[in-house]
Amino acid sequence: GRTKLAPKAVKKGLGLDLCPLCVQFTSQSISELLNIILNAGVVGGCAELCGMLPQKLEQEACNLICDIVGIDAFIHLIEKADLDPIYFCELTTLCPVHDCEGQCVKITDAAVAPQSGPQGTTFKIGVAMQAFNQTSTGTIAFSVLPPDGMPFGDAELVPKGFSPGTFQAGAQIETQPSEQEPFSPGVYKVDIAVCEGECGS
């Protein structure tokens, strides 16, 4: 088998946190890479595999990550990750794994300001959390559930996970009507989730 360069040594040597880059790249490219691997069969090396991606920036990120873990491990981990970007990056050890046991994180407060407003209002969502134990790489997800439409929202990556302590996070929702969301009058519910890994995966 091929020797594998230890990713932790590379991270320390470069002085970079490659977790956010890995998650962003994998979020955009993992399904495409899986299709390339399944359709291309045997691939010679990282440059050949990553060169099949359409965008230059994707190719460069792919080459960096693939070179760190090695082509054989890279292909195996793409197949094993089941299209989950954070899990893939944890498998490569570019994102930390601290499987939290017991009580991990508790939401202690959440608020939306203003509490109501007309179309065009920008609403600010705030959340306060208490972390009791170290967690793995994770996300904080904000979801808005309209009275008569599809839910929408966003998530924020927490690359190093939570260490014990208190934390705050927030999001903004601009309520300019669009084809996707007319922001009709009614009650809009807000869900906030704090997850190890990707919320919903």
Side-chain angles (χ1 to χ4, degrees):
R2 297 178 190 203
T3 54
K4 180 173 125 177
L5 187 60
K8 291 183 192 266
V10 172
K11 282 197 301 186
K12 287 179 184 166
L14 294 175
L16 296 174
D17 179 6
L18 294 177
C19 180
L21 170 75
C22 182
V23 172
Q24 181 181 3
F25 159 72
T26 311
S27 295
Q28 297 169 354
S29 304
I30 194 167
S31 63
E32 196 165 358
L33 276 170
L34 187 58
N35 284 333
I36 290 169
I37 290 165
L38 294 174
N39 292 325
V42 177
V43 176
C46 293
E48 184 180 340
L49 172 63
C50 297
M52 294 182 196
L53 290 169
Q55 303 292 324
K56 180 91 171 127
L57 196 56
E58 287 177 319
Q59 293 172 8
E60 290 173 2
C62 179
N63 267 314
L64 175 66
I65 296 164
C66 183
D67 284 344
I68 288 171
V69 299
I71 186 67
D72 295 335
F74 187 75
I75 290 171
H76 172 72
L77 297 176
I78 290 277
E79 294 171 338
K80 182 177 181 175
D82 196 29
L83 303 178
D84 183 332
I86 291 175
Y87 182 50
F88 169 80
C89 296
E90 289 175 337
L91 290 171
T92 66
T93 71
L94 294 175
C95 289
V97 176
H98 304 282
D99 290 329
C100 183
E101 295 183 14
Q103 188 171 17
C104 300
V105 178
K106 176 183 174 184
I107 294 176
T108 57
D109 192 25
V112 177
Q115 296 236 336
S116 64
Q119 286 178 333
T121 301
T122 298
F123 292 90
K124 294 183 179 182
I125 304 168
V127 61
M129 299 156 281
Q130 170 87 39
F132 299 97
N133 292 298
Q134 178 68 48
T135 69
S136 294
T137 301
T139 50
I140 303 169
F142 299 90
S143 299
V144 177
L145 307 149
D148 57 357
M150 294 296 294
F152 60 91
D154 203 3
E156 182 179 328
L157 180 68
V158 184
K160 296 179 190 297
F162 290 102
S163 54
T166 57
F167 300 89
Q168 295 183 353
Q172 287 191 164
I173 306 294
E174 296 181 14
T175 60
Q176 293 297 329
S178 67
E179 279 186 36
Q180 292 80 24
E181 181 52 59
F183 289 105
S184 304
V187 175
Y188 288 71
K189 294 181 181 179
V190 175
D191 280 343
I192 301 169
V194 180
C195 309
E196 270 195 309
E198 191 169 351
C199 291
S201 67

